[in-house]
Amino acid sequence: MKPIDQFEGSRVLVLGLAKSGSAAARLLSRLGADVTVNDARGEDPEAAPLRELGVEVILGGHPENLLERGFDYVVKNPGIRYDHPVVSMAVEAGIPVWTEVELAYLISEAPLLGVTGSNGKTTTTTLLYHMLNIGGKNPLIAGNIGTPSCLVAADAKPDQAVVIELSSFQLMGTERFRPKIAIWTNLYEAHIDYHGTFGEYGEAKFNITRNQLPEDVLIYNADQKAVAEYAARSRARKIPFTLSGRSDEGISADGDAVYWYGERLLDRSAILLPGRHNLENILSATAAALTYGCPLDAIKDVLSSFSGVRHRTQFIREWKKRRFYNDSKATNTLATKSALEAFEGPVVLLAGGLDRGHSFEELRPFMDRVREIVVFGETAGRLREFAESCGVEKIHDASDIERATEIAARVSEEGDTILLSPACASWDQYESFEVRGDRFIEAVRKL
């Protein structure tokens, strides 16, 4: 950890406990700050250990006079919006409001390799980590993928690299954050309820490269006009990736191969992970690994064996010549469209969940690959009507994932892909998409 004295004697409010809040409070206390943690929830198991460190923990609400204590910094949980009363008052008062990602940058002795985008962050982060690991680069992995960045960065050595998955929520709370390598996978309309407008969402994402300099690297999606326009504003060395055919710039792919600055790098047939969307992730991770000095053999090893991140077009098993895939993370139609695009068909699709009233029309161009569909959850009725309008003749209703899996197995035929890709959030029946996906995996393995 870098020896910094920026927080020595300063007063810091950590807003929101959870994993990131607890990690930030511990780190700040270690750096000599006078730390106060505030969370609207009641007593938490993390509170007692923090109090033992001398951290003041205020739970059960937000005192109206909280900011009158003269805080120098606010470090907030990424999920807390900027219209939260405490956050908005801090902004008005000119107090820096950060997420713990900013702390990670300030203390890390290891270079940071950041990954952001509307979709594909977790897969890209995981791919890059495995490539660097097999390539002998001794990487660490952190961020939105699970472990707080500042916790990992505190123990990172100079000869390591920290691969960080970064959400727009996390990036919005940065000021000087500057990764050595940044990846921007794509940009779609999302989280407008948090950011207010698509433009503000894009600006938050741009924070991944905003402070980069020419000695840093930005790897970006050249096939998306919005991302390319943001990339043009970056001062970093730019490496574009494209699926539009062989290119002399950056990394590219056509139907046969992947190319690095126009030179054939590897055959598409050597890649295990299916789908056009996953090919974007593969290109960006490969470009980052090559730029960081990872041997090509290590990259090829990962691409020939990596079958997907859990709950993201994850191959489960082959059963009676049917292949089962878990894409429970597909909580919107865009993600399910990408999953359907990955398979030629025939597909038995399992879909449904929380009804937010959104349209399923994005799926229409790919519904000809769906021979049968099993619908469940609050959206079952609307999905049935949509599937009928797309010409899907065999539609089945299920009470839950277990029953949907049984039906799909029974009605499927040899050579079918049985795909859980719900196009909806899980909260009508399950506490998270992970729980929904785990139930599906368990049901498939019981067949």
Side-chain angles (χ1 to χ4, degrees):
M1 184 170 70
K2 287 179 183 175
I4 62 172
D5 58 8
Q6 178 176 347
F7 300 102
E8 186 72 41
S10 65
R11 306 202 69 185
V12 184
L13 171 64
V14 175
L15 193 60
L17 195 49
K19 283 194 299 185
S20 66
S22 176
R26 289 173 182 274
L27 173 63
L28 288 162
S29 179
R30 184 175 166 187
L31 292 172
D34 179 4
V35 183
T36 300
V37 175
N38 178 222
D39 196 303
R41 298 176 302 170
E43 199 59 34
D44 189 285
E46 289 286 344
L50 288 175
R51 286 176 176 134
E52 289 177 7
L53 293 174
V55 173
E56 182 182 8
V57 182
I58 304 171
L59 301 175
H62 305 294
E64 291 183 6
N65 62 348
L66 187 61
L67 289 182
E68 294 178 8
R69 299 185 177 202
F71 291 111
D72 300 295
Y73 305 95
V74 172
V75 178
K76 74 176 189 68
N77 182 289
I80 298 174
R81 290 166 37 154
Y82 281 77
D83 57 2
H84 184 285
V86 176
V87 178
S88 60
M89 284 190 290
V91 171
E92 288 176 12
I95 302 171
V97 178
W98 297 340
T99 57
E100 55 91 20
V101 170
E102 181 75 1
L103 300 179
Y105 169 71
L106 294 175
I107 64 166
S108 181
E109 291 186 318
L112 306 184
L113 283 57
V115 180
T116 199
S118 299
N119 290 323
K121 295 187 294 297
T122 300
T123 299
T124 303
T125 302
T126 307
L127 277 166
L128 178 55
Y129 169 79
H130 285 307
M131 289 171 181
L132 296 178
N133 192 40
I134 292 177
K137 298 298 181 180
N138 194 21
L140 301 168
I141 192 166
N144 200 48
I145 202 166
T147 308
S149 305
C150 69
L151 193 65
V152 175
D155 295 325
K157 304 296 187 291
D159 62 345
Q160 294 184 291
V162 183
V163 185
I164 308 179
E165 178 185 335
L166 296 161
S167 70
S168 60
F169 302 168
Q170 292 168 312
L171 285 169
M172 192 170 177
T174 59
E175 186 176 323
R176 292 159 55 190
F177 178 74
R178 177 189 162 197
K180 185 65 180 173
I181 298 177
I183 296 175
W184 193 336
T185 60
N186 47 51
L187 186 67
Y188 298 104
E189 189 164 307
H191 305 305
I192 304 305
D193 57 337
Y194 185 101
H195 293 287
T197 67
F198 182 65
E200 290 298 319
Y201 174 54
E203 287 297 321
K205 290 289 191 188
F206 184 67
N207 278 356
I208 197 170
T209 187
R210 193 182 299 275
N211 297 321
Q212 284 190 300
L213 297 174
E215 58 265 35
D216 304 316
V217 174
L218 171 63
I219 298 162
Y220 70 96
N221 189 337
D223 292 335
Q224 278 202 313
K225 182 181 178 183
V227 176
E229 287 176 349
Y230 277 113
R233 291 168 48 190
S234 172
R235 293 171 291 176
R237 175 165 73 91
K238 301 174 185 65
I239 300 178
F241 69 84
T242 177
L243 304 186
S244 301
R246 182 173 179 172
S247 172
D248 291 334
E249 294 295 322
I251 192 165
S252 56
D254 58 20
D256 297 322
V258 172
Y259 305 90
W260 180 243
Y261 286 90
E263 297 293 325
R264 193 181 188 98
L265 190 69
L266 57 92
D267 294 338
R268 286 277 301 273
S269 60
I271 298 172
L272 180 62
L273 199 61
R276 181 181 175 87
H277 64 302
N278 278 322
L279 186 56
E280 290 184 347
N281 305 331
I282 286 164
L283 292 187
S284 58
T286 298
L290 288 171
T291 302
Y292 201 73
C294 187
L296 181 58
D297 285 347
I299 294 169
K300 288 181 175 179
D301 190 3
V302 171
L303 296 182
S304 65
S305 60
F306 186 78
S307 61
V309 176
R310 194 172 182 85
H311 309 302
R312 293 163 174 84
T313 327
Q314 173 198 8
F315 174 65
I316 304 303
R317 67 177 286 204
E318 184 168 322
W319 174 82
K320 296 186 177 181
K321 298 185 179 179
R322 288 96 161 148
R323 293 174 67 84
F324 288 78
Y325 287 85
N326 166 32
D327 193 38
S328 184
K329 178 65 168 65
T331 57
N332 55 54
T333 53
L334 176 62
T336 297
K337 182 186 80 169
S338 295
L340 287 174
E341 189 178 12
F343 301 102
E344 295 293 332
V347 173
V348 178
L349 178 65
L350 283 63
L354 183 71
D355 193 349
R356 285 171 161 165
H358 63 268
S359 169
F360 298 110
E361 281 301 315
E362 278 187 296
L363 303 180
R364 189 174 294 278
F366 301 97
M367 288 299 288
D368 58 351
R369 304 180 184 195
V370 177
R371 194 185 67 246
E372 306 199 28
I373 185 171
V374 185
V375 297
F376 54 88
E378 290 180 355
T379 55
R382 290 207 300 119
L383 275 166
R384 170 178 280 279
E385 292 176 3
F386 173 71
E388 288 174 349
S389 74
C390 294
V392 180
E393 295 182 0
K394 297 181 179 178
I395 304 170
H396 313 272
D397 290 281
S399 56
D400 54 29
I401 285 294
E402 289 84 357
R403 181 61 181 148
T405 306
E406 293 170 5
I407 293 171
R410 174 171 51 80
V411 303
S412 63
E413 301 174 4
E414 290 186 3
D416 282 356
T417 294
I418 300 176
L419 172 66
L420 169 64
S421 191
C424 302
S426 62
W427 302 317
D428 59 331
Q429 292 182 298
Y430 305 98
E431 63 184 64
S432 68
F433 71 82
E434 291 96 340
V435 171
R436 178 171 64 187
D438 286 341
R439 297 278 181 87
F440 175 66
I441 293 170
E442 185 179 354
V444 170
R445 288 178 176 163
K446 284 182 177 178
L447 290 173

